[in-house]
Amino acid sequence: MAASSLKRKQKTLWSQAGPTPRLIFGAAIIAIVGVLGMTPKAILGIPIAWPFAALWGAIGWGRAGLSVRPMILLILFGLMQDIVSNAPLGCFAMINLLIYGMSAGIADQTDGMRDALVAIVGPAVLLVVAFLLVWMFASITTDHLVRSWPLLASFITTGLVYAFAARMYDLGRRPGESPGGS
């Protein structure tokens, strides 16, 4: 009994970290995945669906409410995605910000309801919206409907990784705290 109460009193380094170190760590992971995504991605000739890593930050950081620092990072990541994928400048930045805002809106409407349903359905809905936005922008800029399977495979990968790494993008906001605050 004493051991279990001792475990509850011990705090992990992550739980003691404030929003700034969490934001920096999450941004570093997104940047690393983004840089690795610029290399050829195939195993035995089979292409690997690479995730849209900036969406991890957009979904996770949005749960803490609106704040300027995550928005600036999402704009920078979006501009990098635009350059790498030859998309019109601002497309991915706008998608990242839209998903971030929607995530903040969901978190605001469900404040205090951090149950499994909200934690699973919210990111799933946001990924579907992001997929549709990317597909629409790609189709509009190429003047024809683009194949959806490669995009869908990347979004499935994005969602699966986020399911396991969601805590890395939690800025530590507790229900009732002011958005963007520490």
Side-chain angles (χ1 to χ4, degrees), residues 14-60:
W14 188 253
S15 67
Q16 293 176 344
T20 300
R22 289 176 181 222
L23 184 67
I24 291 168
F25 182 77
I29 296 296
I30 291 170
I32 290 168
V33 170
V35 168
L36 292 175
M38 292 189 288
T39 62
K41 301 166 291 291
I43 296 178
L44 302 173
I46 301 169
I48 297 172
W50 202 252
F52 289 93
L55 290 176
W56 299 333
I59 294 169

Side-chain angles (χ1 to χ4, degrees), residues 17 40 92 118 144 156 158 162:
F92 279 105
V118 172
H144 63 83
I156 290 170
T158 303
Y162 182 77

Side-chain angles (χ1 to χ4, degrees), residues 61-142:
W61 297 336
R63 293 187 70 188
L66 297 176
S67 183
V68 173
R69 294 180 303 167
M71 285 188 225
I72 291 170
L73 286 171
L74 290 171
I75 290 170
L76 291 174
F77 289 139
L79 293 175
M80 286 185 237
Q81 283 177 286
D82 291 334
I83 292 167
V84 169
S85 64
N86 294 323
L89 211 53
C91 285
F92 279 105
M94 185 168 43
I95 291 168
N96 290 343
L97 289 177
L98 284 170
I99 297 303
Y100 176 73
M102 290 176 70
S103 178
I106 289 172
D108 185 51
Q109 293 300 311
T110 60
D111 200 28
M113 293 177 41
R114 292 188 176 237
D115 60 325
L117 182 65
V118 172
I120 293 170
V121 173
V125 167
L126 292 171
L127 283 172
V128 168
V129 170
F131 164 76
L132 291 173
L133 288 171
V134 170
W135 180 78
M136 281 183 1
F137 273 111
S139 295
I140 290 169
T141 58
T142 59

Side-chain angles (χ1 to χ4, degrees), residues 1-8:
M1 180 112 171
S4 65
S5 65
L6 182 61
K7 280 185 177 179
R8 276 186 257 146

Side-chain angles (χ1 to χ4, degrees), residues 52 131 134-136 138 146-156:
F52 289 93
F131 164 76
V134 170
W135 180 78
M136 281 183 1
V146 297
R147 292 182 328 149
S148 60
W149 178 246
L151 285 176
L152 187 59
S154 291
F155 274 94
I156 290 170

